[in-house]
């Protein structure tokens, strides 16, 4: 028996924004989406696109596997983002987290700060440890200490509000970066335009974002709509190319204006003792003294 899968790329128009910007040709766009394929449960490449198991989508959202901006907004966050664009820790993930917080909290992400730097993901020098690693721990310690004083929790499981978290934020918790050339980590930069211009600090975009998907990256499987040639203008396709494109998307293309299939607010924490899908965790047991 295998675990149910959430991976899905049915209807995703890879390279859509590149097509609309004129960076790739209509023929390249059609060929890309004809050949993109997917993966199986063992991550082997397949000619067919990946299809999620629908019950797995419900579980992923309900359990918080897809992190909720509503819950992220209740926490003090220092996102320390080193360069690892050849791995899985892409810089866009920091801004995806921010977008989820914004979406769930009226555009307010004051509880999250991002520190970017162009060296590797992990500390490599004493200067980096002092400026980033140690400083982030000290800043977070101050933030949590402030919270403990200004918004004490009645119980261990009590939840603070985003406003309480933001009110406790220390003055030195703000967005910054260390430019790639600053090997001594001696000059924190707060001008985000300068940070974004650094080749190793640029935000970039994920393949799904280039395909028109949201920065929140929280749609595991998109709802579909009929393919409409007018939506590609100024790019145009020949009759043959349009037929091939329809063949590549027999069920339609992603409608990113709608919630994802099975998308919902997390109901966490969950217990899975009664099987897949999860049930809300019950109240804490009473304390007893032996």
């Amino acid at each position: 028996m295998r675990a149910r899968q959430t991976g899905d790329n049915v209807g995703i128009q890879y390279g859509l924004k590149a097509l609309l910007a004129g960076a790739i040709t209509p023929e390249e766009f059609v060929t890309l989406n004809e050949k993109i394929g997917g993966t199986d449960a063992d991550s082997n490449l397949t000619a067919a696109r990946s299809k999620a198991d629908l019950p797995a989508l419900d579980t992923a959202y309900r359990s918080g596997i897809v992190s909720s901006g509503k819950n992220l907004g209740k926490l003090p966050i220092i996102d320390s983002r080193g360069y690892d664009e050849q791995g899985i820790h892409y810089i866009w993930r920091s801004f995806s987290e921010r977008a989820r917080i914004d979406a769930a909290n009226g555009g307010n992400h004051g509880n999250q700060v991002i520190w970017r730097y162009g060296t590797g993901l992990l500390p490599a020098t004493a200067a980096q440890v002092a400026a980033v690693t140690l400083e982030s721990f000290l800043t977070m310690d101050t933030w949590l200490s402030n919270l403990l004083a200004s918004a004490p929790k009645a119980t261990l499981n009590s939840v603070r509000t985003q406003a309480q978290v933001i009110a406790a934020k220390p003055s030195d918790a703000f967005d910054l970066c260390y430019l790639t050339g600053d090997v001594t980590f001696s000059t924190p930069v707060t001008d985000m335009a300068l940070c974004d211009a650094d080749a190793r600090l640029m935000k970039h975009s994920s393949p799904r974002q280039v395909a028109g998907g949201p920065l929140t990256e929280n749609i595991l499987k998109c709802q579909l709509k009929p393919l409409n040639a007018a939506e590609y203008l100024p790019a145009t396709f020949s009759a043959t190319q349009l037929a091939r494109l329809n063949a590549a998307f027999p069920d339609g293309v992603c409608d990113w204006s709608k919630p994802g299939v099975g998308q919902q607010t997390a109901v966490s924490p969950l217990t899975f003792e009664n099987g897949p899908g999860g049930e809300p965790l019950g109240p804490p047991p009473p304390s007893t003294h032996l």
Side-chain angles (χ1 to χ4, degrees), residues 116 177 179 189-198 201-203:
R116 283 181 280 171
C177 77
L179 299 178
V189 175
T190 57
D191 183 343
M192 292 299 107
L194 289 177
C195 298
D196 293 342
D198 188 306
L201 302 180
M202 290 180 178
K203 301 172 187 177

Side-chain angles (χ1 to χ4, degrees), residues 204-239:
H204 300 296
S205 296
S206 73
R208 285 189 177 229
Q209 291 165 33
V210 178
L215 178 57
T216 51
E217 287 278 339
N218 56 1
I219 293 180
L220 298 177
K221 178 178 179 64
C222 66
Q223 295 194 52
L224 301 175
K225 64 180 181 179
L227 190 150
N228 181 356
E231 294 182 357
Y232 299 99
L233 295 173
T236 58
F237 301 97
S238 68

Side-chain angles (χ1 to χ4, degrees), residues 23-45:
I24 62 175
T25 67
E27 176 61 29
E28 289 171 325
F29 176 75
V30 173
T31 301
L32 171 62
N33 284 285
E34 282 179 325
K35 298 181 179 296
I36 194 69
T39 58
D40 63 17
D42 296 313
S43 297
N44 297 310
L45 298 178

Side-chain angles (χ1 to χ4, degrees), residues 38-95:
T39 58
D40 63 17
D42 296 313
S43 297
N44 297 310
L45 298 178
T46 61
R49 294 197 176 212
S50 305
K51 292 185 178 181
D53 298 309
L54 298 185
L57 300 175
D58 178 75
T59 300
Y61 286 113
R62 292 181 71 246
S63 64
I65 292 174
V66 181
S67 58
S68 160
K70 180 179 179 181
N71 290 326
L72 289 170
K74 302 170 185 175
L75 304 171
I77 299 172
I78 299 176
D79 192 324
S80 181
R81 185 63 61 175
Y83 178 83
D84 188 27
E85 295 293 279
Q86 299 177 30
I88 61 173
H89 305 100
Y90 304 110
I91 291 172
W92 64 258
R93 294 192 182 277
S94 297
F95 295 92

